[in-house]
Amino acid sequence: MRSLAQSTFTYYSHHEDDTDLLGKLLAACLIPGSVLTLDGDLGAGKTRFSQGFARAIGIQEHVNSPTFTIIKEYEGTKLPFYHMDMYRISQEEADELGLEDYFYGTGVTLIEWSSLIEDLLPPERLAITISLQGDQTRVFHLTPHGDPYVSWCVQMKENGYLQ
Ligand SMILES: Nc1ncnc2c1ncn2[C@@H]1O[C@H](COP(=O)(O)OP(=O)(O)O)[C@@H](O)[C@H]1O
Ligand SMILES: [Mg+2]
């Protein structure tokens, strides 16, 4: 009961390898239609996290911030991967992206700067906010919305990865 009622979980990354490990742990949980959001200041590590995560789902290509393209699609060995960056988008453009086709499709979606399109996000998702603590330390705050995401977090906590 105690852990199921918890609303935010915390992961400490003291090194980029720790950030890669979180990507691997989450990649192991994925199902078609999984949606993860990434927020946090410039330089927090949203794109760096995305790179480790993409690698963990079998994408060989180098992953960058799709700041100008907004959406970049990759073919993973496990699942298609849709990497989004909403930093420069207008509300009208966002409305026309057809995001539901991604969210309810067969792939996994990762959205940087999701707070800028809050109204368009699906009700079920894993919200991740990253904060900087010094040069190398990053604190990942994971807030699951919906049962599947709650069980991912509870499982990772039971395994000692989350607090
Ligand atoms: N523990 C860590 N996890 C992730 N990135 C880290 C970490 N320590 C240092 N960094 C550095 O922080 C920067 C994060 O940049 P980036 O991922 O582009 O940020 P954002 O996409 O949030 O603007 C990278 O230069 C990365 O090398
Ligand atoms: Mg970025």
Side-chain angles (χ1 to χ4, degrees), residues 42 46-48 65 67 85 112-113:
L42 271 176
K46 301 179 292 300
T47 300
R48 185 60 190 79
S65 267
T67 310
D85 185 329
E112 298 192 32
W113 295 101

Side-chain angles (χ1 to χ4, degrees), residues 2-94:
R2 168 188 46 82
S3 51
L4 280 172
Q6 186 174 343
S7 60
T8 297
F9 298 77
T10 309
Y11 179 86
Y12 288 91
S13 167
H14 299 290
H15 189 276
E16 292 185 38
D17 291 348
D18 296 336
T19 296
D20 288 336
L21 175 60
L22 179 61
K24 275 188 203 151
L25 293 167
L26 289 169
C29 300
L30 299 172
I31 50 168
S34 297
V35 178
L36 286 73
T37 63
L38 284 175
D39 291 276
D41 292 342
L42 271 176
K46 301 179 292 300
T47 300
R48 185 60 190 79
F49 169 83
S50 304
Q51 290 165 343
F53 179 82
R55 185 58 55 92
I57 55 175
I59 289 149
Q60 308 293 334
E61 270 175 88
H62 184 67
V63 168
N64 286 318
S65 267
T67 310
F68 294 99
T69 47
I70 301 176
I71 301 179
K72 183 130 199 278
E73 304 187 23
Y74 300 86
E75 276 305 318
T77 49
K78 294 183 190 153
L79 295 163
F81 173 48
Y82 313 125
H83 187 206
M84 307 184 179
D85 185 329
M86 299 300 166
Y87 191 55
R88 291 176 187 276
I89 204 163
S90 68
Q91 195 62 54
E92 296 78 56
E93 285 171 320

